Amino acid sequence: MLIEKTIAEFVEDTSSKNPVPGGGSVSALAGSIGGALTTMVGNLTIGKKAFENLDDSTKEKIKEYMTVLEELIKELNTLVDEDAEAFDKVMKAYKMPKNTEEERKDRDNAIEEGTKIALEVPFRTCKKCLAVLQTQEMFLKYGNKNAVTDVAVGALMAYSGLEGAILNVKINLQGLNDDKYKANIMKQCKEMMNEGKKIKSYILSNVHNQF
């Protein structure tokens, strides 16, 4: 599994002529790292004097977000490998025989089905990366002030994962014939990217202005 490789092995595999891991897997990994950095900030916050001075509802919300982040990291790690697997399925569909009309029809159907799966994996990555971003304003506001730049880097990573995954969704959409389906996915991608960009910009400008 890709996610179980060392960092050096993953980088080497990514730089090879093999098309997997590609942008989709890297986007999922970026989102996971963004979530991990945010979790680190939480771990450097909980139990500190400033944290104990917060009201109970805020403390509970921070702890709730820590649990959310833990689950998001697991899901994004899974998507690193799911993206590579989905790409392989599409490639297998393209290699199916096309000598007869029936074979061509079966091949076309397999390509359409495989492409939808290859699209839906990064689409899920988009949602998970946005969910990571949506936790980060809490850690910007209440997190350990010595780790505020880690919140910013986490936001950069999560947003990179979001926009990178959207690019992978878009390229796979080109191979589909269902216009209604394509329009719906594009609408959701635009909404997610706009929200993610807004959160990322807010966090980055806030952190930059502190120095």
Side-chain angles (χ1 to χ4, degrees), residues 55-101:
D55 62 80
D56 289 343
S57 63
T58 301
K59 287 191 282 189
E60 286 304 312
K61 194 67 178 177
I62 290 172
K63 290 177 181 178
E64 177 188 326
Y65 277 1
M66 291 288 282
T67 302
V68 169
L69 284 165
E70 182 182 3
E71 188 60 32
L72 287 170
I73 291 167
K74 289 178 183 177
E75 291 168 345
L76 284 160
N77 286 348
T78 299
L79 288 165
V80 170
D81 279 288
E82 282 191 30
D83 192 89
E85 292 163 5
F87 180 84
D88 285 339
K89 287 180 181 179
V90 175
M91 291 300 97
K92 287 179 181 178
Y94 273 103
K95 292 175 182 177
M96 289 174 65
K98 49 181 179 178
N99 300 312
T100 67
E101 185 176 343

Side-chain angles (χ1 to χ4, degrees), residues 3-4 12 61 63 88-89 101 104 141-142 146 156-157 178 188 198:
I3 198 63
E4 294 179 355
E12 184 178 355
K61 194 67 178 177
K63 290 177 181 178
D88 285 339
K89 287 180 181 179
E101 185 176 343
R104 287 191 290 273
K141 187 172 182 180
Y142 298 110
N146 294 319
L156 283 169
M157 295 300 294
D178 188 338
Q188 292 184 67
K198 183 178 178 181

Side-chain angles (χ1 to χ4, degrees), residues 40-173:
M40 181 194 78
V41 176
N43 284 323
L44 292 171
T45 301
I46 295 173
K48 301 295 184 182
K49 184 177 179 181
F51 176 79
E52 296 303 332
N53 288 335
L54 296 172
D55 62 80
D56 289 343
S57 63
T58 301
K59 287 191 282 189
E60 286 304 312
K61 194 67 178 177
I62 290 172
K63 290 177 181 178
E64 177 188 326
Y65 277 1
M66 291 288 282
T67 302
V68 169
L69 284 165
E70 182 182 3
E71 188 60 32
L72 287 170
I73 291 167
K74 289 178 183 177
E75 291 168 345
L76 284 160
N77 286 348
T78 299
L79 288 165
V80 170
D81 279 288
E82 282 191 30
D83 192 89
E85 292 163 5
F87 180 84
D88 285 339
K89 287 180 181 179
V90 175
M91 291 300 97
K92 287 179 181 178
Y94 273 103
K95 292 175 182 177
M96 289 174 65
K98 49 181 179 178
N99 300 312
T100 67
E101 185 176 343
E102 185 175 353
E103 285 180 344
R104 287 191 290 273
K105 183 178 179 180
D106 289 342
R107 178 177 177 272
D108 288 344
N109 288 337
I111 290 171
E112 180 90 0
E113 181 182 345
T115 301
K116 277 192 175 182
I117 294 171
L119 178 157
E120 287 166 0
V121 172
F123 187 67
R124 282 160 52 208
T125 298
C126 297
K127 292 181 176 180
K128 303 304 177 185
C129 289
L130 179 58
V132 171
L133 280 160
Q134 288 167 336
T135 71
Q136 290 171 332
E137 288 186 60
M138 176 68 75
F139 294 94
L140 173 68
K141 187 172 182 180
Y142 298 110
N144 189 315
K145 298 306 178 186
N146 294 319
V148 68
T149 54
D150 295 297
V151 179
V153 176
L156 283 169
M157 295 300 294
Y159 180 77
S160 293
L162 168 62
E163 187 162 357
I166 285 174
L167 289 171
N168 277 268
V169 170
K170 286 183 173 181
I171 195 168
N172 281 296
L173 278 176

Side-chain angles (χ1 to χ4, degrees), residues 2-15:
L2 292 171
I3 198 63
E4 294 179 355
K5 291 180 178 287
T6 66
I7 294 172
E9 289 170 341
F10 188 92
V11 170
E12 184 178 355
D13 285 354
T14 304
S15 66

Side-chain angles (χ1 to χ4, degrees), residues 18-32:
N18 191 334
V20 294
S25 293
V26 170
S27 295
L29 181 60
S32 176

